[in-house]
Amino acid sequence: MKRLVAGLLVVAGGFGVMAAEAGGASIGKAKPCHRTEAYIPAGWCQPTKADMTEDWLAFKADYPIPYHTSGHFNGDAVKDEAWILYDEARKDWGVFVFLSQKGGGFAQYEVFKDQFGKINPQFISIRAAEKGEYETACGKGYWECAKGEPKKMTVKAGGALIMGPYESGGTELVYWHKTAFKKVSLDD
C-alpha cells in the first residue's frame, strides 16, 4: 500500500538506552532557560551548546544541530519548525512541531514527550528527510501490517522530519494526515 504524504516526522520509540544507564547528563543540573524564538511555549527551553553531550556530541559531524530543523511538515509549502525542548525544571523533554499559520504565528504540536532519567534526548536527533519512498516496519516484514498501517510512505521534498536514535531501532514515522499527526514504525 502506497501513500503520498505531504509532511511527516519520524519519531523514535523504544530507544533502548536509558539516561540513567548512560549517566543522565542533564539531570539535577540547574541551567538557565534559553528561548530565542517567540513561538517556544512558556515553561520550555531550547538546548544550548552545553547540552551537546553524549550522542549529540559523538555524531556532531553528521548532525551539527540534532535538536532543531525546518521543513514543510504539513505540506503547505510554508516553512515550519521542529525542536527538541526541555521543561524549565529539566524533568521532562519533548519534540514539538510548530506549523506556520497563514495569518502569522504558529500552531504548536507536541508529538513526543518523556522524562529525563527514562530516555535521554541526547540519544536521538531530528532532521529534515530527503524526498523519496520509505518502507515501514510492517512493509519490511517485521510484523503483519495492522488495518490502515501502510507498507510504504512517499515523502515530498522538504515535507518530512526524521527523528530517531543514532544506532538502534525503534524509529517511528509521524506524518501529517488532514488535521493531525499519525505514527507508523519504520523498524523494530
Side-chain angles (χ1 to χ4, degrees):
M1 175 177 182
K2 202 174 184 184
R3 289 190 184 175
L4 179 62
V5 177
L8 57 107
L9 237 331
V10 182
V11 174
F15 303 114
V17 179
M18 301 303 199
E21 295 170 358
S26 298
I27 299 172
K29 294 182 181 178
K31 295 182 183 178
C33 189
H34 181 72
R35 279 190 213 86
T36 61
E37 305 296 337
Y39 58 79
I40 301 296
W44 291 90
C45 311
Q46 297 163 272
T48 66
K49 288 181 182 181
D51 295 305
M52 291 296 287
T53 62
E54 300 168 42
D55 283 353
W56 284 1
L57 185 59
F59 292 92
K60 187 175 179 170
D62 295 325
Y63 307 104
I65 306 173
Y67 49 81
H68 173 248
T69 193
S70 301
H72 308 292
F73 305 126
N74 63 345
D76 65 2
V78 179
K79 184 179 168 186
D80 304 311
E81 305 291 333
W83 286 88
I84 296 174
L85 301 174
Y86 308 133
D87 72 355
E88 289 179 349
R90 291 196 176 243
K91 179 183 174 191
D92 296 320
W93 65 275
V95 175
F96 292 79
V97 177
F98 301 92
L99 298 180
S100 296
Q101 302 298 289
K102 290 181 183 178
F106 291 87
Q108 172 188 315
Y109 294 84
E110 183 180 280
V111 297
F112 184 81
K113 186 176 179 184
D114 213 320
Q115 296 177 336
F116 282 99
K118 288 181 73 180
I119 298 171
N120 193 329
Q122 280 85 356
F123 292 117
I124 63 165
S125 70
I126 58 175
R127 61 195 181 277
E130 305 272 331
K131 175 183 177 181
E133 190 170 84
Y134 292 80
E135 194 170 21
T136 66
C138 74
K140 293 174 185 172
Y142 288 122
W143 53 76
E144 190 80 22
C145 291
K147 183 179 178 180
E149 184 177 10
K151 290 184 178 185
K152 294 183 181 180
M153 305 289 286
T154 301
V155 179
K156 290 183 178 181
L161 169 80
I162 293 179
M163 178 185 131
Y166 288 90
E167 297 185 305
S168 63
T171 305
E172 291 180 320
L173 191 68
V174 180
Y175 58 96
W176 184 254
H177 181 71
K178 297 182 183 178
T179 61
F181 288 102
K182 287 188 164 190
K183 297 180 184 182
V184 65
S185 294
L186 292 179
D187 53 32
D188 62 348

